Amino acid sequence: MKEHSMKLVLLGIFFFAISSLFMNVSANELSIGDIHQEWWWNNDRDKDRQQELPDPEGGPEKVERPRNPVSNIVLQQRYPETVVLQGPATVNQVALTFDDGPDPRFTPQLLDVLNEYGVKATFFIMGARAEAHPDLVQRIVEEGHIIGNHTFWHPNLVEQGEVATLEREVQKTEDFLESLIGYRTKLFRAPYGFLYNELVEKLRDMDYTIVGWSVDSLDWQEDSPEEIAFNVLSNTTPGSIILMHDGAEWEGDRTNTIQSLQEIITTLQQGGIEFVTVPELLTIPYQK
């Protein structure tokens, strides 16, 4: 009898262990299934995000710029008819320029500020973002600002090292913008400002003026509005071309750029400085 009872106890333990094992397996399968569903949901969301706001192909500005500090002074000296970094110091004018847009999160707010102060600027546009948000490009033009070419996908042209990549990126952007705004862009700014001799020569052959800058706001570091304004105001002189950004990668934020503009604009205007577009500052054409 005792032996029979012991067998029943052992059998019960066995079935309990088996049941627990299946329960754990089922729980794990459910967890894996949930993860699988979540992965696919995130993947779909990433696709939607990419369509809504294509990220710069070469990576975030705050990652690439510190790796390769930019100075195009040598290129400007080698190609003075093609590369421009600033305007004449004899006129009380400066040019605000904005890269990497249009960005639906920040460009409209920035345009509102410019409109409030009656300031015209120059926007270097990513073709892929223009394609995603043509209404913002049209608004930029309608409000009197100038459009420049900033490639289609914002690659690191020096890292890729191919003139063919440059030509393809620039031409695709030029073609799309022409269909949207009615003219072919003549002003170009390289992603991150990265260029070398052969790329400059190719852009010259494509009838582009390469626009660099003499004042870097460093807004891509996402410092406070006060720091961004200080970077600009402490370095700006008559003829300056000022680099700022209305666009960012998906994780980036240009709120501080927008907030810094009020101090930058009012301080310079109170000092007798007029804000003009790049072609006005340099007396050069902006379309072919």
Side-chain angles (χ1 to χ4, degrees):
M1 184 71 174
K2 290 183 179 180
E3 184 178 349
H4 179 70
S5 299
M6 182 61 68
K7 286 181 179 179
L8 288 176
V9 170
L10 291 175
L11 189 60
I13 292 172
F14 173 76
F15 279 113
F16 176 79
I18 292 295
S19 298
S20 298
L21 177 61
F22 277 111
M23 287 175 65
N24 288 336
V25 169
S26 297
N28 287 338
E29 286 177 347
L30 179 62
S31 175
I32 292 170
D34 288 344
I35 291 171
H36 184 69
Q37 278 191 334
E38 177 71 13
W39 184 87
W40 277 110
W41 182 82
N42 280 330
N43 191 44
D44 290 341
R45 185 174 63 177
D46 287 344
K47 289 178 181 177
D48 292 340
R49 186 186 78 179
Q50 181 67 8
Q51 291 175 351
E52 177 188 346
L53 189 70
D55 264 345
E57 186 181 79
E61 199 90 15
K62 61 184 176 182
V63 173
E64 293 303 307
R65 285 286 297 280
R67 271 198 323 126
N68 299 284
V70 180
S71 175
N72 284 323
I73 294 175
V74 173
L75 290 175
Q76 196 279 326
Q77 292 171 343
R78 288 176 181 166
Y79 305 96
E81 302 301 317
T82 303
V83 180
V84 296
L85 304 180
Q86 64 182 39
T90 54
V91 294
N92 287 334
Q93 295 178 331
V94 298
L96 275 176
T97 66
F98 297 95
D99 288 7
D100 299 350
D103 189 318
R105 302 168 299 172
F106 310 116
T107 303
Q109 300 175 63
L110 190 144
L111 288 170
D112 289 344
V113 174
L114 296 179
N115 186 56
E116 178 184 351
Y117 289 95
V119 169
K120 305 305 179 189
T122 306
F123 287 79
F124 290 92
I125 297 291
M126 271 180 63
R129 289 185 168 182
E131 192 174 63
H133 299 283
D135 55 321
L136 286 178
V137 180
Q138 290 172 333
R139 180 183 169 184
I140 290 170
V141 173
E142 288 169 0
E143 295 186 5
H145 307 289
I146 297 299
I147 299 292
N149 191 321
H150 199 45
T151 71
F152 202 84
W153 290 109
H154 202 283
N156 184 332
L157 293 169
V158 170
E159 192 170 86
Q160 292 197 12
E162 294 182 5
V163 173
T165 297
L166 167 74
E167 184 175 15
R168 181 175 64 252
E169 287 275 331
V170 173
Q171 194 64 57
K172 186 175 182 180
T173 304
E174 181 181 323
D175 290 343
F176 179 76
L177 288 175
E178 194 273 337
S179 71
L180 185 62
I181 63 178
Y183 66 81
R184 290 193 169 271
T185 53
K186 185 173 171 62
L187 305 181
F188 175 82
R189 177 173 285 161
Y192 318 104
F194 295 168
L195 288 170
Y196 58 87
N197 290 353
E198 288 78 8
L199 296 179
V200 173
E201 291 166 7
K202 183 62 181 179
L203 287 161
R204 178 194 60 195
D205 295 344
M206 296 176 73
D207 195 24
Y208 271 92
T209 298
I210 300 167
V211 181
W213 58 84
S214 56
V215 177
D216 189 346
S217 68
L218 302 178
D219 63 345
W220 47 270
Q221 296 180 162
E222 299 185 3
D223 294 325
S224 69
E226 293 77 17
E227 289 175 283
I228 294 171
F230 177 79
N231 290 337
V232 173
L233 295 173
S234 61
N235 291 288
T236 296
T237 58
S240 292
I241 296 176
I242 302 166
L243 169 66
M244 304 188 82
H245 295 80
D246 65 312
E249 69 281 2
W250 185 256
E251 295 79 11
D253 190 352
R254 296 291 177 249
T255 302
N256 290 350
T257 297
I258 297 165
Q259 293 177 353
S260 73
L261 276 176
Q262 182 174 2
E263 182 178 352
I264 291 170
I265 293 171
T266 56
T267 300
L268 291 176
Q269 285 181 336
Q270 288 169 3
I273 296 292
E274 179 188 8
F275 288 91
V276 296
T277 64
V278 167
E280 289 176 307
L281 181 67
L282 301 173
T283 318
I284 59 174
Y286 61 88
Q287 56 182 303
K288 297 179 181 178

